[in-house]
Amino acid sequence: MAPKLAGKIALVTGGSSGLGLATAKRFVAEGATVVVTGRREAELATAVRDLGGNALGVRGDVSSLSDLDRLYPTIRERYGRLDVLFANAGGGAFVALGDVTEAHFDEYFGINVKGTLFTVQKALPLMAAGGSIVLNGSMVSLKGMPGFTVYAATKAALRSFARTWAVEFKGKNIRVNVVSPGTVVTPGYKTELGMTDGQIQEFEAHAAAAAPLGRAGTPDEVAKAVVFLASDDSSYVTGADLFVDGGAAQV
Protein backbone atom coordinates (compact mmCIF):
# COMPACT_ATOMS: atom_id res chain seq x y z
CA MET A 1 0.00 0.00 0.00
CA ALA A 2 1.37 3.41 -0.98
CA PRO A 3 2.26 5.86 1.79
CA LYS A 4 -0.63 8.22 2.53
CA LEU A 5 1.51 11.39 2.53
CA ALA A 6 4.13 10.55 -0.08
CA GLY A 7 5.90 13.68 -1.33
CA LYS A 8 3.98 16.01 1.02
CA ILE A 9 5.57 18.86 2.96
CA ALA A 10 4.09 18.99 6.46
CA LEU A 11 4.44 21.33 9.42
CA VAL A 12 3.81 20.23 13.01
CA THR A 13 3.88 23.02 15.57
CA GLY A 14 4.83 21.92 19.07
CA GLY A 15 6.34 18.84 17.47
CA SER A 16 9.18 18.13 19.86
CA SER A 17 7.21 15.95 22.30
CA GLY A 18 3.82 14.43 23.05
CA LEU A 19 1.08 14.38 20.42
CA GLY A 20 3.10 16.59 18.09
CA LEU A 21 6.11 14.28 18.05
CA ALA A 22 3.93 11.17 17.70
CA THR A 23 2.21 12.77 14.71
CA ALA A 24 5.48 13.90 13.14
CA LYS A 25 6.71 10.31 13.36
CA ARG A 26 3.55 9.07 11.66
CA PHE A 27 3.89 11.73 8.96
CA VAL A 28 7.47 10.63 8.22
CA ALA A 29 6.41 6.98 8.17
CA GLU A 30 3.72 7.90 5.62
CA GLY A 31 6.25 9.51 3.27
CA ALA A 32 6.10 13.20 4.25
CA THR A 33 8.94 15.63 4.79
CA VAL A 34 8.21 17.23 8.16
CA VAL A 35 9.07 20.58 9.71
CA VAL A 36 8.65 20.62 13.48
CA THR A 37 8.70 23.58 15.82
CA GLY A 38 9.24 23.80 19.57
CA ARG A 39 10.23 26.33 22.20
CA ARG A 40 13.01 24.28 23.83
CA GLU A 41 16.11 23.98 21.64
CA ALA A 42 17.56 20.80 23.18
CA GLU A 43 14.25 18.94 23.10
CA LEU A 44 13.66 20.03 19.51
CA ALA A 45 17.11 18.83 18.44
CA THR A 46 16.48 15.42 20.02
CA ALA A 47 13.14 15.12 18.24
CA VAL A 48 14.67 15.96 14.86
CA ARG A 49 17.36 13.32 15.37
CA ASP A 50 14.68 10.77 16.22
CA LEU A 51 12.66 11.70 13.12
CA GLY A 52 15.60 11.19 10.77
CA GLY A 53 16.63 12.79 7.51
CA ASN A 54 13.15 13.83 6.39
CA ALA A 55 12.73 16.32 9.25
CA LEU A 56 13.73 19.91 9.88
CA GLY A 57 13.50 21.66 13.25
CA VAL A 58 12.79 25.38 13.61
CA ARG A 59 12.81 26.76 17.15
CA GLY A 60 9.91 29.06 17.87
CA ASP A 61 6.88 29.97 19.97
CA VAL A 62 3.57 30.19 18.11
CA SER A 63 2.38 33.00 20.38
CA SER A 64 5.24 35.14 19.02
CA LEU A 65 4.43 36.60 15.61
CA SER A 66 8.10 37.33 15.00
CA ASP A 67 8.86 33.63 15.46
CA LEU A 68 6.14 32.74 12.95
CA ASP A 69 7.56 35.33 10.58
CA ARG A 70 10.89 33.45 10.70
CA LEU A 71 9.29 30.04 10.31
CA TYR A 72 7.42 30.42 7.05
CA PRO A 73 10.21 32.05 5.01
CA THR A 74 12.38 29.10 6.10
CA ILE A 75 9.81 26.66 4.74
CA ARG A 76 9.43 28.68 1.54
CA GLU A 77 13.17 28.82 0.93
CA ARG A 78 13.75 25.15 1.71
CA TYR A 79 10.67 23.51 0.16
CA GLY A 80 8.69 26.16 -1.73
CA ARG A 81 5.29 25.11 -0.42
CA LEU A 82 3.32 23.53 2.42
CA ASP A 83 0.81 20.72 1.92
CA VAL A 84 -0.17 19.79 5.48
CA LEU A 85 -0.34 21.83 8.67
CA PHE A 86 -0.96 20.29 12.08
CA ALA A 87 -1.50 23.29 14.36
CA ASN A 88 -0.74 21.33 17.50
CA ALA A 89 1.16 23.72 19.78
CA GLY A 90 -0.79 24.58 22.89
CA GLY A 91 -0.90 24.42 26.64
CA GLY A 92 -3.09 24.52 29.68
CA ALA A 93 -3.24 24.33 33.46
CA PHE A 94 -5.76 23.37 36.11
CA VAL A 95 -7.00 26.61 37.69
CA ALA A 96 -10.35 26.99 39.45
CA LEU A 97 -12.50 29.89 38.31
CA GLY A 98 -11.91 31.85 41.50
CA ASP A 99 -8.14 31.62 40.99
CA VAL A 100 -7.96 32.63 37.32
CA THR A 101 -5.69 35.63 36.83
CA GLU A 102 -5.25 37.97 33.91
CA ALA A 103 -1.78 36.50 33.34
CA HIS A 104 -3.19 32.96 33.20
CA PHE A 105 -5.91 34.03 30.75
CA ASP A 106 -3.47 35.93 28.54
CA GLU A 107 -0.91 33.11 28.49
CA TYR A 108 -3.22 30.38 27.27
CA PHE A 109 -5.38 32.45 24.98
CA GLY A 110 -2.09 33.75 23.58
CA ILE A 111 -0.73 30.28 22.86
CA ASN A 112 -3.86 28.33 22.00
CA VAL A 113 -6.06 30.90 20.27
CA LYS A 114 -3.83 33.73 19.03
CA GLY A 115 -1.03 31.28 18.24
CA THR A 116 -3.29 28.97 16.24
CA LEU A 117 -4.97 31.80 14.36
CA PHE A 118 -1.73 33.35 13.16
CA THR A 119 -0.09 29.96 12.55
CA VAL A 120 -2.86 29.24 10.04
CA GLN A 121 -3.09 32.77 8.63
CA LYS A 122 0.62 32.96 7.87
CA ALA A 123 0.67 29.44 6.38
CA LEU A 124 -1.98 30.16 3.75
CA PRO A 125 0.30 31.82 1.16
CA LEU A 126 2.32 28.59 1.07
CA MET A 127 -0.66 26.25 0.75
CA ALA A 128 -1.94 25.24 -2.64
CA ALA A 129 -5.14 23.45 -3.65
CA GLY A 130 -5.41 20.09 -1.97
CA GLY A 131 -3.86 21.32 1.28
CA SER A 132 -5.04 20.09 4.66
CA ILE A 133 -5.06 21.94 7.99
CA VAL A 134 -5.68 20.07 11.24
CA LEU A 135 -6.20 21.92 14.53
CA ASN A 136 -5.50 20.16 17.81
CA GLY A 137 -8.61 20.58 19.91
CA SER A 138 -9.79 18.65 22.97
CA MET A 139 -12.83 16.81 24.21
CA VAL A 140 -13.14 19.52 26.91
CA SER A 141 -14.44 21.87 24.21
CA LEU A 142 -17.62 19.82 24.59
CA LYS A 143 -17.39 18.17 28.02
CA GLY A 144 -17.10 20.17 31.23
CA MET A 145 -14.13 19.52 33.50
CA PRO A 146 -13.39 21.34 36.77
CA GLY A 147 -10.40 23.65 36.69
CA PHE A 148 -10.34 24.01 32.92
CA THR A 149 -12.30 27.27 32.56
CA VAL A 150 -9.69 28.94 30.38
CA TYR A 151 -8.25 25.89 28.62
CA ALA A 152 -11.67 24.56 27.58
CA ALA A 153 -12.67 27.97 26.25
CA THR A 154 -9.53 28.12 24.10
CA LYS A 155 -10.31 24.72 22.61
CA ALA A 156 -13.92 25.74 21.93
CA ALA A 157 -12.50 28.71 20.02
CA LEU A 158 -10.52 26.33 17.81
CA ARG A 159 -13.71 24.44 16.98
CA SER A 160 -15.26 27.73 15.93
CA PHE A 161 -12.20 28.58 13.83
CA ALA A 162 -12.57 25.35 11.85
CA ARG A 163 -16.21 26.01 11.02
CA THR A 164 -15.52 29.57 9.91
CA TRP A 165 -12.39 28.78 7.95
CA ALA A 166 -13.98 25.82 6.17
CA VAL A 167 -16.45 28.34 4.68
CA GLU A 168 -13.76 30.97 4.00
CA PHE A 169 -11.71 28.38 2.08
CA LYS A 170 -14.61 27.52 -0.22
CA GLY A 171 -13.34 27.29 -3.77
CA LYS A 172 -9.68 26.98 -2.68
CA ASN A 173 -9.76 23.20 -2.06
CA ILE A 174 -8.03 23.63 1.30
CA ARG A 175 -9.62 21.57 4.05
CA VAL A 176 -9.59 22.39 7.77
CA ASN A 177 -10.62 20.02 10.53
CA VAL A 178 -10.18 19.51 14.26
CA VAL A 179 -8.89 16.43 16.07
CA SER A 180 -10.12 16.35 19.67
CA PRO A 181 -8.22 13.97 21.94
CA GLY A 182 -9.57 12.65 25.19
CA THR A 183 -7.29 11.62 28.05
CA VAL A 184 -3.92 10.84 26.50
CA VAL A 185 -0.95 11.00 28.85
CA THR A 186 1.96 12.99 27.45
CA PRO A 187 4.97 14.79 29.00
CA GLY A 188 2.77 17.88 29.15
CA TYR A 189 0.91 16.41 32.12
CA LYS A 190 4.06 17.13 34.12
CA THR A 191 5.57 20.12 32.30
CA GLU A 192 2.33 22.03 31.70
CA LEU A 193 -0.18 20.70 34.23
CA GLY A 194 2.39 20.14 36.97
CA MET A 195 1.03 16.72 37.92
CA THR A 196 2.96 14.09 39.85
CA ASP A 197 3.20 10.45 38.75
CA GLY A 198 0.61 9.51 41.36
CA GLN A 199 -1.78 12.24 40.24
CA ILE A 200 -1.39 11.18 36.62
CA GLN A 201 -2.16 7.56 37.47
CA GLU A 202 -5.25 8.60 39.44
CA PHE A 203 -6.41 10.92 36.66
CA GLU A 204 -5.87 8.22 34.03
CA ALA A 205 -7.79 5.65 36.09
CA HIS A 206 -10.72 8.05 36.55
CA ALA A 207 -10.75 8.79 32.80
CA ALA A 208 -10.63 5.09 31.95
CA ALA A 209 -13.61 4.39 34.17
CA ALA A 210 -15.60 7.18 32.47
CA ALA A 211 -14.82 6.13 28.88
CA PRO A 212 -16.89 3.47 27.10
CA LEU A 213 -13.69 1.85 25.84
CA GLY A 214 -12.48 1.60 29.42
CA ARG A 215 -9.03 3.11 29.04
CA ALA A 216 -7.06 6.23 28.21
CA GLY A 217 -5.68 6.74 24.73
CA THR A 218 -2.15 6.79 23.37
CA PRO A 219 -0.35 9.53 21.42
CA ASP A 220 -0.06 7.23 18.40
CA GLU A 221 -3.83 6.70 18.29
CA VAL A 222 -4.28 10.46 18.00
CA ALA A 223 -1.49 10.64 15.42
CA LYS A 224 -3.23 8.08 13.21
CA ALA A 225 -6.40 10.16 13.31
CA VAL A 226 -4.41 13.24 12.26
CA VAL A 227 -2.91 11.28 9.36
CA PHE A 228 -6.44 10.45 8.23
CA LEU A 229 -7.45 14.12 8.29
CA ALA A 230 -4.21 15.17 6.60
CA SER A 231 -4.41 12.64 3.79
CA ASP A 232 -6.65 12.12 0.78
CA ASP A 233 -8.49 9.45 2.76
CA SER A 234 -10.52 12.37 4.15
CA SER A 235 -10.80 14.26 0.86
CA TYR A 236 -14.53 14.99 1.41
CA VAL A 237 -14.16 16.04 5.05
CA THR A 238 -13.88 19.67 6.12
CA GLY A 239 -15.14 21.71 9.05
CA ALA A 240 -15.38 18.53 11.12
CA ASP A 241 -14.34 17.68 14.68
CA LEU A 242 -12.99 14.14 15.05
CA PHE A 243 -13.05 12.96 18.67
CA VAL A 244 -10.36 10.47 19.65
CA ASP A 245 -11.56 10.02 23.21
CA GLY A 246 -12.67 6.43 23.72
CA GLY A 247 -16.23 7.72 23.61
CA ALA A 248 -15.83 9.80 26.79
CA ALA A 249 -17.41 12.96 25.40
CA GLN A 250 -19.96 11.12 23.28
CA VAL A 251 -22.13 9.52 25.98
Side-chain angles (χ1 to χ4, degrees):
M1 184 177 295
K4 296 179 184 295
L5 300 174
K8 302 290 188 181
I9 307 299
L11 168 63
V12 178
T13 63
S16 57
S17 67
L19 301 182
L21 180 56
T23 301
K25 289 178 178 178
R26 275 282 168 185
F27 281 0
V28 169
E30 291 291 350
T33 296
V34 181
V35 180
V36 293
T37 73
R39 292 177 290 179
R40 294 177 285 273
E41 187 71 51
E43 195 172 284
L44 181 62
T46 298
V48 171
R49 284 196 299 270
D50 289 347
L51 290 168
N54 283 338
L56 172 69
V58 180
R59 197 204 66 78
D61 180 345
V62 297
S63 67
S64 167
L65 298 194
S66 61
D67 283 1
L68 291 174
D69 286 337
R70 287 190 297 103
L71 169 64
Y72 288 113
T74 300
I75 296 173
R76 183 184 296 278
E77 291 168 12
R78 182 70 67 95
Y79 305 112
R81 71 181 199 280
L82 186 63
D83 302 303
V84 174
L85 167 60
F86 181 33
N88 164 73
F94 288 115
V95 178
L97 173 58
D99 297 322
V100 171
T101 63
E102 183 179 15
H104 173 78
F105 180 93
D106 289 346
E107 178 179 4
Y108 291 110
F109 266 81
I111 297 169
N112 297 354
V113 181
K114 172 188 167 185
T116 299
L117 187 153
F118 287 106
T119 293
V120 173
Q121 182 200 71
K122 292 175 181 293
L124 289 178
L126 286 173
M127 300 198 76
S132 176
I133 298 167
V134 183
L135 312 181
N136 192 8
S138 171
M139 74 172 184
V140 300
S141 68
L142 184 66
K143 190 176 182 70
M145 183 175 291
F148 263 0
T149 291
V150 172
Y151 178 75
T154 67
K155 294 302 184 176
L158 301 192
R159 179 66 186 100
S160 179
F161 282 167
R163 288 190 175 104
T164 302
W165 295 342
V167 177
E168 285 198 13
F169 298 162
K170 186 176 181 180
K172 296 181 179 179
N173 194 23
I174 295 174
R175 299 181 297 108
V176 57
N177 294 289
V178 181
V179 63
S180 287
T183 300
V184 179
V185 175
T186 68
Y189 275 54
K190 289 185 176 180
T191 59
E192 287 287 334
L193 297 177
M195 299 173 72
T196 65
D197 288 337
Q199 288 171 328
I200 292 172
Q201 290 172 3
E202 183 178 351
F203 187 80
E204 191 171 14
H206 176 76
L213 289 185
R215 63 177 178 84
T218 68
D220 189 58
E221 287 177 311
V222 178
K224 287 186 282 189
V226 179
V227 168
F228 167 72
L229 292 174
S231 74
D232 288 343
D233 284 352
S234 60
S235 58
Y236 198 53
V237 180
T238 194
D241 192 354
L242 175 57
F243 281 78
V244 187
D245 66 346
Q250 313 309 310
V251 298

